[in-house]
Amino acid sequence: MSHHWISLTLNGETIEAEVPANRLLSDFLRDQLALTGTKRGCETGVCGACSILIDGEVSKSCLSLAVQAHGKTITTVEGLAQGQALHVLQAAFMEHGGLQCGYCTPGFLIAAADLLSRNTSPDDAEIRKALSGNICRCTGYQGIVDAVRAAAENLNGT
Amino acid sequence: MRNLDYLEPESLDEALRMLADYGDEAAVFAGGTALLLAMRQRMLAPGIVVALGGLSALRGIGYTPEAGLRIGALSRHSEIARADIVREHYPVLAKVAAGLANPQVRNQGTIGGNLCYGDPATDPPSVLVALDAELEIAGRSGTRRVAMADFLVDYFTTALEPGEILTAIHLPPVTPGRVGHYKRHLRTPAEHRPVANVALTLTERGGLWDDVRLVIGAATPVAQSMARAAAALTGQAITLDLAAEAARIAAEDLTPVSDARGSAAFRRQVVRATVRRIVAEAAGLDWSEAAA
Amino acid sequence: METSAIGQARPQINAREKVLGRARYAGDLKLAGMLHARLLRAPHAHARIVSVDTSAARALAGVRAVATGADVPDRRWGVGHKQQHVLARGVVRFVGEEVAAVVAETPEIAEEALDLIRVEYEELAPLLDPALSLDPGVPQVHEGGNLSEEINIDRGDVDAAFAGADLIHEETYTTHSQYPGYMEPMATLAEVDGAGRLNVWTSTQSVFLARQRLAEALDRPISSIRVIQPTVGGGFGGKIIEERSSVIAAFLATLVDRPVRLGLSRLDDILSGCFSVPATIRLKMGMTRDGTIVAKEVDILADCGAYAGLAGEVMTVTAMRSDNMQRIRNIRTRARLVYTHTMPRGAFRGFGGAQMSFALNSHMATMAEMLGLDVIELHRKNAIGPGETSVHDWKIGSCELPACLDQVSEAIGWGEKRSRAKAGGVLRRGVGMAAAMHVSGNRTIGNWDGSTILLKVNEDGRAVVHTGESDMGQGAFTMLAQICAETLGIPVAHVTVAAPDTDNSPYCIGTLASRVTINGGMAMVKAAEEARATILAAAAAKLGCDAEDLALVDGVIRSADGAHTAPLAEICRYHIYRHGGEGIYVKGSHDPQTVRFDGDFRGNIAPAYSFAAQAVEVEVDTETGQVRLVETYLSDDCGVAINPLAVHGQSNGAAVQALGWTLYEELHFEGGRVINGNLADYTMATADAVPMMHSMIVEGYEPNGPLGAKGASETAILPGAAAIANAVYDAIGVRITDLPITPEKILAGLAELEEASLA
Ligand SMILES: Cc1cc2nc3c(=O)[nH]c(=O)nc-3n(C[C@H](O)[C@H](O)[C@H](O)COP(=O)(O)OP(=O)(O)OC[C@H]3O[C@@H](n4cnc5c(N)ncnc54)[C@H](O)[C@@H]3O)c2cc1C
Ligand code: FES
Ligand code: FES
């Protein structure tokens, strides 16, 4: 099996690592780098629990090999907060009931961050569409949608 | 997942050589979204993947009035959805790309991978047939072009020969009055893949439709052109009755898939409803009042 | 002063670590030297294991252990019926049953080793259809026949009551199995430590029940096992005591001298997870002209799959819970639980209530129409009220069911929408509603439904709560912290709830039967009161005044006249640093004044009962059969809502789960094999598949609950299916009696109507 040296920017830091060709990006993050915020929920590209930003775009890390991350800029849920300061989405999820068990939460935060980076004032339908690659079994989505809307309003100062 | 060699050719020639050298052992790897799933479910077990990521020849989306649109095979769905030239000249294609799967898959999956995988439960094939797309395919002996309609052979089977690579998708230049419509139907709102979809392209002349293409996807093993239904719509004033008649014909002519997500009869029914609606909507008629 | 800790919407106390991605779930844990396990599952629904050859797997480099049924303890485990070995022995009874396990250095090696295990099976005829299970000559799932349990309940004089009824209606309803669908697939990390103790971190709803089950299955003393609960990514009933992977993981850890982690893939989790109990319900009901229910006859056939687990208890709930919601006196019920060669079914949110709620509420709507009455009036007319004793001797404390009915009917515009002219178009709308009840607590696990809290108040005046009740995301820890803060007089932020750990937590039953708020909450009130008394006594001694004159508010002790004050921290230190001093450790226990069922299923099993109603509007596409939920209003009577944010979250989540059960989710079997065991084909709702969820709370006051509260959450899953089915009927006149409501069934129903109208 081929092994590869990859170098990438991960949550603002440059890292280098050696990965076997068949290692999934999600496993690389979780098992090799101990960034366990990125979850495994289905490993078939459906649940979105493994979502991360690759070059600023929401992606499912279980649908990608680690070697594909070479040269990319990646943000995981661990990279959202600035030190002790929560990302507006993190604060909004807490306040508006955007989470219960929390297992889906990293993926939703990432998908929502992608949305707000492209659309600063989404309506509810746009929010729901943007989150359609993620599954939450606890909240019924209302708290999540409320949180994303509130975060957008917060960013817009409305 | 089994052990793997991940090769990163830097040119199309090198990629083609690798495929020739390794034969059956090797698979082309674009975004990987479909391939990795198939490998994990052990439907495919290549020992070598030839990653296309480094091939600039397969990238980019460009338009010229003479040659029309060229979409590099490595273009991701989200890139197609956002590309200004696609939105301007082929808005229906941008809409399809923007509405399929989910945001993550649109950012990771390529149009080339979508087409080469040959999965019937997808969106782009029907609309590409309706837009008279041609596929540019590179092999060791050169490049050939295949009409989209001929590219799709059967479930998970395409006209690609072993060792060939899809390099680009070409759409003819837009002609005045030519418009496209697309509608996908989900069995339930919670489904992720279409159970049927319909693409409709036509040229409007004096309020009548000409050069009509009506193509069904997802409900059939490969996207199916509905010539009889299209003929029925050609040169006639479009009424709800005519829409219903075209829908009836299309449903009759359909070669439906039958599986856990929908029996043949169900697919026929859905195709009938969807065709009626897309035709009515294209003609600015309200289909919601009377049932067919 | 801080506003009350109760009744305010507030984030869960563990929300921050979750949004940071730093909450640790079992599959995130790693111990030095950790090995990985993978399981080999049976490909047949029913087969004899002729031989298992593990030699090639054992020989693979990196493999540390391979186990089969031959290696596991002889003792069988189970809830009531002791039927299961840790790994299948001799016979496999469903596709997916665990036949062998591998422990290896990496997950990849473990997987490779699975391929090297050769199992020879002799296929046997399977029994797949529960309707045939009791026929003569069919394959037997267990020795002793396919009937697992039967209950018969007879109240009043059913025949006489039917004879006096003005209207009798009978119908058969079928309900299907639902996957709990928690987002965290089962994961367990287990090790035998140097002292020989078995330490297990697992995704569970109850550490003590988990420990008890491990002791039984692994045949070792209870105290030789320690179960610790990491953060749990949802449970919904599936992680109580029926899943098997934690047992297998713990067993594997006893074979090697290193920690073993078994994290199930989603496909594995679906094959080995615990689905809800499918039931066929024949319901016959008699009413007088004014809508009074006078008699009911029920016949239930429920399928527990290959092993009984909690399915018997679930079926009991299906059989009798909803009887208590109404003032009915004459009931005859027969319920039978049968085995089939399919995956085991059991506990699921609502615990059997949803199955009967679908039948009962569909029936009520049908009979209301037959009588020319509004179904809401019918519910109101028959609803039990506070202070009443039900037909099965349940003592109803608080009951705001009528208020729930008011709330949902007003919110959706019931009267107006019911009376609007039926449009004849392609897309047709209709409204429907349903009402339900659930227990808060349940004295059925044994003759105890109690809960104990150990409370420590540290030398800085902050509190640590120890409980064996668990939080799978529903907010139990936040509820305890709020009650603790409110009762003790400190800010919520000063309360920590320690993770359940059988070595350190007081014995508790765990999270099931909506019992944690009501029973755990009461124990919390008592413990906090005790701590406050201890603190005030110490303060009185230190400050030289009477304890009765002192109050503890917001972390400060103050006398009524303001002459004496002291920060709590000072008093806590004083409690230690004096002759004969000690830290502040108190305990509060609460066991409600309930009874177990007698032999005839009578007795007040719960300290309180929760109620809910839901009204929905749907749109039916008459050409494609697609049903879309347009609006939904759910009203929950949970007593005082300690944390409205949590209650709304529970209600919304439950309503979407019910929606999924009704319209979106369906297991497909082929010869006993699940053919859609993945999340792409077993489709749980995503955000774009549901409308805005409206959750409402009717605030009552539950005298038996902590600060007036009772259970929320499970009740909310009960009305959804019938509300939707009733709305579909309202929209198109098609009555669907078998779930799920699929596009095909809608189209078939419409075709039938058309045929009938032509005939
Ligand atoms: C959860 C999920 C939901 C989805 N929903 C939809 C949907 O609603 N509608 C829809 O249309 N699609 C859907 N898809 C499919 C998605 O569009 C495809 O997975 C994706 O486009 C494949 O592209 P890829 O680059 O990842 O292909 P890869 O996985 O890299 O390749 C797929 C196949 O094509 C071959 N291949 C790839 N590129 C080339 C090339 N240039 N030349 C020759 N062979 C090549 C590979 O060898 C492989 O066999 C969904 C997928 C997922 C995972
Ligand atoms: S784990 Fe990647 S989408 Fe579910
Ligand atoms: S919070 Fe539990 S799955 Fe979303």
Side-chain angles (χ1 to χ4, degrees), chain A residues 138-156:
Chain A
C138 295
T139 63
Y141 301 106
Q142 195 54 48
I144 295 174
V145 173
D146 292 345
V148 176
R149 194 192 316 108
E153 284 164 5
N154 190 339
L155 285 172
N156 292 327

Side-chain angles (χ1 to χ4, degrees), chain A residues 39 41 90 100-101 137 141, chain C residues 18-19 25 28 266 665 685:
Chain A
K39 297 301 182 206
Q90 291 172 316
Q100 289 175 25
C101 81
R137 192 62 153 174
Y141 301 106
Chain C
K18 290 177 178 173
V19 298
Y25 301 79
D28 300 336
R266 180 61 67 180
E665 298 168 31

